[in-house]
Amino acid sequence: MRFDIPLIRKQLASVPVTSPYPHDLAVAIICDTFRMANVRPPSRQDWAALEDHANSPLWREQVGMLAHVLASSSLRETTAQVLVKSANATDILQRFFANIAPLTAEMVRSNAFRQEEFLRKWAHVVGGEVKDESPSQSTQRLNQLDYRKAQQEMVRAEEIRRKEAEQREKMLAEAARREAEARGWRE
Amino acid sequence: MTGALPADLHVAPRAHIRRDTSTQRPHIPWAESIAQGLAHLAALADEAEARARLDARLVALRGALLASPYHLRQLQEAGLHPGDLQRLEDLGHFPLLDRSTLARHWDAVPTLPAESDECVVVKSSGSTGDPVRVVRDRRDCLHMWAVLRFLVSRAGAVLPPRPRVVLLDALPGGLEYSVRLPIFHDGALHRVSVLRGDARERLCRVRPAVLFSDPEGLRWLAEQREVPTPRLVLTSAQHLPVGLRAALREKVPAPVLNYYATTETGPLAWECARGEGRFHVFAPDVWLEPGLDEVVVTRLRPSVLPLLRYRPGDAGTVRRDACACGFHGWTLEGFGGRGACHFLTPSGRTVDAWTLAWVFKHHALRAFRLTQVERSRFELEVAGAEEANVGPLCERLTAALRNLGWTEPRLEVRHVEPAALATRAKPQPFRTLLSKG
């Protein structure tokens, strides 16, 4: 069975936008998903270690959002089917939360691209494939969507823009001096 | 029509016209490729293939977004990044850019201009009283000439060697000049003001192959005796009355092509010769989002000014079209740009009020509305204008009205709050209280 991303997104579009689950319930929903696949879920200590490892103020809302999308769509059922019994739930979750580190619950709710990224990254860490796509196509799409990498690129770009500021001002002042008054027909 | 104008009109600021026209030559292959690209897309019946060609242009746009401080900040705030923009369908998830926002961030939207871009900053027309400063690179400035190559071939016009182009100008400034035009088949451009006494003689001397004008200029043309017939007449998408079209057809039996362009975006669409009010989109240079009830433009041609989901403030709906004229592509219908407004001179002649819009862009004010109350009496409502600016504005406006036929115009100024002039759609800064009869 493969993850049907458009179908899952459609299912999510018809449910409340915010996760209704308090943290403990969200943890229980995620643990249940692993149990459905006969995979031992993370223990209480494992969850504490996951939180420590993430060391992020966003982590709890990410847990809530994962539980919400699992419980509200076919994501949970597909996950249970693709997980292999030997899978390490704590390791999967650790990789998942590391991969989605900069995503806020609001982004997953309201931003089509970040929601798709969130779902695809889950599909990827549980070892699933995406419906109607070759593995290489899925990898390519994940790379396109990767907000963590893009954020680094944007920070670099911002740094460059900051360094350019003085030159930008100079060039624009020069362009303004060349301003003509002929309704754009200066050529 | 008005008589000859004095040498110093006190209306137009000095114009700076580029004389180094030989520097256009390196851009000729680019202009040819633009025309070919437009022709190719306009003949492509397969929508999927057309979309794939447009999608391919998003690669350059993604790079430009990353290089634009404004867009970069906007994308970060929205949890987006340029890589999210892979297909035209993705555009709907990106933020819109309003005209007023572009006006505020005019210096942060462009990418870093290079010396070789030869950028200029131009002002859009003063239709809001708050003109947008638009950064243009050299190719932005030359783009219309590349598009003209396409339009000439589309209209089936055959040009003579070294064609002469006339820009027939009805603006109150009375600006005139002549320059070489290597980019357009080694031709020449002559700007002729209809306000000058020798305008007709000059037009006859030049014998243009292509004539650009606005409805006011075309009205003047239709009133003249024996004027040369160009191979193609172009006008921009202002209100073009049916009667004027007919009168023009009688006097100048050349195809008249109406196109829609804004200073910020460049040319966007041209009106189909077979159906009034249907504008075919200049893809692949621009993309106008289908299915909306307003114009939303994304520029797909590389430019120093990346425009992503820009709203010029015009109404209209775009859909895929296979037109009887042979065009395949996207067509803008229900286009509602500038509302027509005609002022009446004391002699009973009508004047397109929009010819005055240009006067306002030289003065700092938030918004304005000019109302013709009586034949020679006008009310000017201004918002956000400093008292020191109002005097020179009135002086220039009065001079412009005199040039257009009002011998003794009376102008009353009223300061108002910007909200008093606000409209939901594009501002309608001209109105008349005179009855049509």
Side-chain angles (χ1 to χ4, degrees), chain A residues 7 18 31 46 68 82 88 112 121 131 142 144 159 186:
Chain A
L7 175 70
T18 49
C31 287
D46 291 334
H68 183 43
V82 301
N88 181 326
K121 284 190 166 167
K131 195 181 167 198
L142 256 186
Q144 283 169 358
E159 190 53 38
R186 66 198 38 74

Side-chain angles (χ1 to χ4, degrees), chain A residues 11 29 32 77 79-80 87 91 116 133 169:
Chain A
Q11 292 164 337
I29 290 169
D32 272 352
E77 189 192 342
T79 300
D91 182 50
E116 183 183 343
E133 280 178 14
E169 207 176 319

Side-chain angles (χ1 to χ4, degrees), chain B residues 106-121:
Chain B
W106 72 273
D107 54 349
V109 177
T111 61
L112 178 70
E115 199 79 57
S116 58
D117 289 333
E118 300 176 73
C119 288
V120 290
V121 179

Side-chain angles (χ1 to χ4, degrees), chain A residues 114 161 178-179 185 187, chain B residues 66 79 84 119 121 138 177:
Chain A
R114 302 293 72 85
R161 302 291 85 85
R178 290 189 205 119
E179 179 181 340
W185 289 89
E187 290 288 346
Chain B
L66 208 54
D84 291 331
C119 288
V121 179
R138 186 74 192 280
Y177 55 81

Side-chain angles (χ1 to χ4, degrees), chain B residues 226-311:
Chain B
E226 291 174 27
V227 281
T229 300
R231 312 284 168 94
L232 180 63
V233 174
L234 294 108
T235 180
S236 60
Q238 298 182 31
H239 180 68
L240 192 60
V242 177
L244 174 57
R245 264 184 196 269
L248 194 65
R249 208 174 298 126
E250 194 114 313
K251 178 71 67 176
V252 184
V256 178
L257 212 147
N258 190 21
Y259 66 95
Y260 166 39
T262 72
T263 308
E264 306 89 285
T265 61
L268 294 172
W270 79 97
E271 192 173 15
C272 180
R274 294 196 177 208
E276 275 180 33
R278 291 165 45 75
F279 287 78
H280 299 322
V281 175
F282 284 121
D285 292 358
V286 287
W287 171 248
L288 272 59
E289 284 179 43
L292 308 175
D293 56 7
E294 67 169 327
V295 177
V296 175
V297 186
T298 293
R299 174 147 51 202
L300 299 178
R301 176 179 63 77
S303 162
V304 72
L305 186 70
L307 288 176
L308 178 73
R309 305 201 77 207
Y310 178 63
R311 300 164 80 188

Side-chain angles (χ1 to χ4, degrees), chain A residues 111-114 144-145 147 150 153-154 161 168 172 174-176 178-183 185-187, chain B residues 16 18 24 66-67 69 78-81 84 86 93 107 110 115 119 121-122 138 145 171 177 189 191 362:
Chain A
N111 182 322
F113 303 106
R114 302 293 72 85
Q144 283 169 358
L145 289 167
Y147 192 64
E153 196 185 355
M154 287 196 287
R161 302 291 85 85
R168 160 181 293 272
L172 289 176
E174 214 163 282
R178 290 189 205 119
E179 179 181 340
E181 307 288 354
R183 280 183 101 192
W185 289 89
R186 66 198 38 74
E187 290 288 346
Chain B
H16 312 288
R18 283 192 79 139
Q24 292 176 1
L66 208 54
L80 295 163
H81 63 83
D84 291 331
Q86 296 291 329
H93 301 292
D107 54 349
E115 199 79 57
C119 288
V121 179
V122 298
R138 186 74 192 280
W145 298 115
L171 294 176
Y177 55 81
L189 169 67
R191 184 163 177 152
H362 305 292

Side-chain angles (χ1 to χ4, degrees), chain B residues 341-345 348-354 356 370-372 375 378 401 406 429-434:
Chain B
C341 175
H342 287 98
F343 289 162
L344 212 54
T345 66
R349 188 172 54 85
T350 57
V351 168
D352 185 349
W354 280 94
L356 293 160
L370 182 65
T371 305
Q372 185 172 25
R375 282 281 177 104
F378 294 85
L401 286 167
W406 281 269
F430 299 102
R431 65 172 182 164
T432 178
L433 301 184
L434 303 186

